[in-house]
C-alpha cells in the first residue's frame, strides 16, 4: 500500500475512469481503466495507474498529451494553457487573507514537482 504524496497518510481506492471516449481515446488507448486513490487524511487524489506506470510509458503519454494539447485545432473544448497569472493572484489573495499558508506548499502536476 502506498501513502499520500502530500501528507504521508493512508490512501485507498476511490474510483476508476476510462478515457476511451473523445478527445483522449487515442492517447489513452493502451491504458484501460485509470484507478484513482484518495488520501484518508487530506483528501488528495492521485492516479495510481499513472504513478505505477513504467517510466517510458509515462514519458510517452506525457509527450503525446502535450503534443496533442499544443497542436489542438480547436475542435475540442480543451484549453491550451492554464491561466498562470490568475492562479498566482488567487494564491496570493488567499494567503494575505490567512486562508492558506504558502510557506510550505507544493505545485504538484505542473510537469515537475516544484516545492517552494
Ligand atoms: Zn494526504
Amino acid at each position: 500500500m502506498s501513502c499520500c504524496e502530500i501528507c504521508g497518510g493512508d490512501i485507498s481506492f476511490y474510483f476508476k475512469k476510462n478515457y476511451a471516449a473523445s478527445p483522449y481515446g487515442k492517447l489513452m488507448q493502451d491504458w484501460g481503466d485509470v484507478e484513482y486513490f484518495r488520501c484518508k487524511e487530506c483528501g488528495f487524489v492521485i492516479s495510481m495507474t499513472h504513478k505505477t506506470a513504467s517510466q517510458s510509458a509515462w514519458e510517452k503519454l506525457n509527450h503525446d498529451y502535450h503534443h496533442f494539447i499544443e497542436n489542438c485545432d480547436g475542435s475540442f473544448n480543451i484549453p491550451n494553457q492554464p491561466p498562470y497569472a490568475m492562479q498566482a493572484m488567487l494564491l496570493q489573495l488567499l494567503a494575505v487573507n490567512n486562508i492558506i499558508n504558502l510557506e510550505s506548499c507544493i505545485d504538484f502536476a505542473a510537469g515537475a514537482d516544484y516545492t517552494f
Side-chain angles (χ1 to χ4, degrees), residues 3-11 38-44:
C3 60
C4 178
E5 300 275 333
I6 303 302
C7 74
D10 290 336
I11 61 174
R38 186 174 189 269
C39 177
K40 296 174 183 174
E41 302 298 323
C42 74
F44 179 70

Side-chain angles (χ1 to χ4, degrees), residues 2 10 12 19 28 32 37 41 51-52 54 56 59 72 88 109 113 115:
S2 295
D10 290 336
S12 61
Y19 292 88
M28 296 294 291
F37 282 64
E41 302 298 323
K51 181 178 178 177
T52 58
S54 72
S56 61
E59 286 176 355
C72 191
D113 296 338
T115 303

Side-chain angles (χ1 to χ4, degrees), residues 82-99:
Y84 293 116
M86 291 171 58
Q87 290 176 347
M89 286 189 297
L90 178 60
L91 289 172
Q92 287 301 314
L93 180 65
L94 295 171
V96 299
N97 287 289
N98 298 316
I99 296 171

Side-chain angles (χ1 to χ4, degrees), residues 18-31:
N18 189 303
Y19 292 88
S22 177
Y24 303 115
K26 186 175 180 185
L27 288 170
M28 296 294 291
Q29 63 186 353
D30 297 329
W31 289 75

Side-chain angles (χ1 to χ4, degrees), residues 29-88:
Q29 63 186 353
D30 297 329
W31 289 75
D33 288 341
V34 176
E35 294 190 345
Y36 293 88
F37 282 64
R38 186 174 189 269
C39 177
K40 296 174 183 174
E41 302 298 323
C42 74
F44 179 70
V45 176
I46 188 168
S47 163
M48 194 58 66
T49 301
H50 291 82
K51 181 178 178 177
T52 58
S54 72
Q55 183 75 21
S56 61
W58 188 90
E59 286 176 355
K60 180 181 184 321
L61 178 62
N62 191 36
H63 172 271
D64 292 350
Y65 174 77
H66 285 92
H67 182 79
F68 172 73
I69 291 297
E70 296 297 334
N71 294 291
C72 191
D73 63 2
S75 58
F76 303 111
N77 186 21
I78 301 173
N80 188 2
Q81 295 292 337
Y84 293 116
M86 291 171 58
Q87 290 176 347

